[in-house]
Structure formats: structure tokens, C-alpha cells
Amino acid sequence: MSVWKLVKLNFGRSPAHFGEVGIGMEETSDRVRSDALFSAWVSIYARLFGKEAVEELLQQFPTKCKPEIVPSFRISSTFVYREVDGGDRTIYYLPRPLKFPTNYPDDDLTFFKTYKKLNCLPLEVWQRWYQGTGFDQKADTQELENHSKVGEANGNLNKFGTFDYKKAFKIDKVPKIAVDRVTRATNLYHTGFVQFAWEKDKAGLYFLLELSPESEKLADNLQAALELLGEEGIGGERSSGAGRFEAHWLDLPEIWQQIVNFKDGKYHTLFSLFWDSSITENFLKNASYEIQERGGWIAESQLRRKMVRMFSEGSVFMSPPQGMLADVTPHEFEKLKKHKIYRSGISLSLPIKAKE
């Protein structure tokens, strides 16, 4: 039986820069996706335990050449959490599946724009809509309509923080100066940083970790590597002190245990990015998904990784997706006979019910 952990990343006063393909330095995402978290984690694992240890670790994940391997662990992307009521209650935001919840009305013109903007849902709302009784056609419809018309709503959706997602953080642009090494000429540019709430209502990121029964002994090493990653920072602009965090490993609270052990779901929704070299037309039958391009620079060189397209969080499939590591080693890197560069497409998904 798998062992689940919930890991909270507390950034405190430290800002962070989470880049995405194509958005440039002036913008930043509000979270880290699963492939970027996996890459940063494995890189620091290699520094802490050595080349042989990380090679042994990577051999425990499926690839195009060895698709039959069961991964030693799976991680979700990171998502926002927010502590409210003086820290007595934590709001966990989950990615909204790309299928409508059960009982969702056919006539939604009066509130569809508001519904579509809800990319992340509070845990209690997500559970009710996608594992419980479903959408409340009277109460939920009325509350979404009120929010669409006047920007305010009073009801269970508002009570659980459905419309308060952006209160957990703010994004600012910070001016910076680049100095040419040869001419000493200066150039002004701006970098986007996300700052999570750290005063009254604290906020940060969290992710789910699923360890296979055979790999539970990995937990201590993974935790040590994550603590070192927190000291060095994750994301861009680490030389400026950005991206530093404290990791808190938690056993799954009861409500999370109900969610991961849900048995009545016909569909499976992604909590991570997902890539597989052997996807068939039959697998995509009745699926709802979005594609995310993933690329970027290799840390120890001036080369870019190969671009790979992955299914994004919230995508929904009839069968549980498995995923594998994608080889994104550039040709120039291969000529130098250096190590392989992988991007994690190992998926973590949860069962749900949805409108047919």
C-alpha cells in the first residue's frame, strides 16, 4: 500500500521567481510545476548523495526504453495553501478538473465566466463537487451569479475561500541593473517576484508525495535533500536570496485520506504534469485536457533542453495515467558525452466523479 505525505513549503518573507516558458523575466508564476520541482529535487539529491546514488534513483522510474518500471515515488505540482483564523484553519487549493462536476446545470450563461476563472478550488468545495454530492444547482448557482453581478457572495463557496485565492500572495516587478562585463554599460530591466502572505494570514505552497511500498526507505533521503533545497532556494534569482523555504512533512489529514482513497470515481484528474510516449487514441477517449509546453535552460551550461509537451494539471482521463521520464538532452550535450537530461512526466492523479 502506498504511503502518502503532504509537504508544505513555507517561504516566510522570501520572495520567489517561478518562470514559465515564454513569459520572460518580468512575469512569474505563483507556483512550481511537478517537473520543475522534480528536477530541482533530483539535482540537489545528486549533490548531497553523489552520482551513483542519483543514477540508482533515476533507474527506479519508467522511461521510453523501460516503460514497465513502477516509479519509486510520485509528486504533484505545488499548489497554494492559506492559513486563516489565526492559523486554526488551512485552506488548500486544488486544481479544478476540466470536466464539469455532477449536477452542473446546462444553462450557465449567467455565471460561466466566474466559474471558468476558478482555476483552483478550496479542498472542501473540490471534494463536494467531484467526490461528493456534486454541484448544488440552487445555492451554488445563486452564489456564482451574485459574484458575477456585484463581485460579492455570501454562502458556502465564499465561506471556504473559493473567491479568495489571490489573497494568498501578491506579485510585484522589481527593477534590476545588468552590467556588461566588457563595456561596463548598464541596462535596466524588471523581474517579477511572487511574495506569499507572511503576516496575519500566512500562505505558501504544498504538494502531495506518494511513495511506493518498496521505496518508503527513500523518505529520509528525500527529506534531507528537500531541506537542503529549501536553504538554497527554488526557482530563479536564487543569487538574490529568492525561493528559500522551510519544508514541513505531514501525514495526510483525515479529509485528505478520504480524497486519495476515494473509490467511486469513474474519471481520474491530474495533480501533476503528465507525459507518456505510448499514448493511444483509446486512452484519450472522453478525456478533457490541456497541453503545456515545457523547456528551459540546463543549469550547468548555456544550452536549452529539448521542448516537450505535457498534459497539464486538471486534465481528466477515463484511465489512471502513469507517465514516464522524458529524455530532453540536447544534441550538443550528447556530443560532449555528458549525462542525460530528463524531464519528469510521472503523473499523480486522483479519482473523481464528473458530469457525463
Side-chain angles (χ1 to χ4, degrees), residues 248-268:
H248 302 281
W249 291 59
L250 307 174
D251 293 328
L252 284 187
E254 182 178 351
I255 188 171
W256 274 107
Q257 293 181 26
Q258 296 172 7
I259 286 176
V260 302
N261 294 319
F262 183 66
K263 302 298 183 184
D264 297 330
K266 180 180 178 180
Y267 298 95
H268 299 266

Side-chain angles (χ1 to χ4, degrees), residues 208-229:
L208 297 175
L209 168 67
E210 181 187 10
L211 288 158
S212 67
E214 298 79 14
S215 303
E216 188 175 358
K217 60 184 180 182
L218 265 178
D220 290 340
N221 286 353
L222 290 173
Q223 186 169 0
L226 190 64
E227 288 177 358
L228 179 57
L229 179 61

Side-chain angles (χ1 to χ4, degrees), residues 111-151:
F111 64 85
F112 178 70
K113 287 185 177 180
T114 298
Y115 172 86
K116 192 175 181 180
K117 291 178 181 178
L118 300 176
N119 295 319
C120 291
L121 298 172
L123 176 65
E124 294 82 0
V125 176
W126 189 97
Q127 185 185 38
R128 173 167 65 85
W129 279 8
Y130 289 99
Q131 291 185 345
T133 56
F135 191 92
D136 188 321
Q137 292 201 12
K138 182 177 180 181
D140 290 344
T141 295
Q142 185 63 54
E143 195 167 357
L144 288 171
E145 286 181 350
N146 290 341
H147 197 274
S148 298
K149 293 176 181 177
V150 298

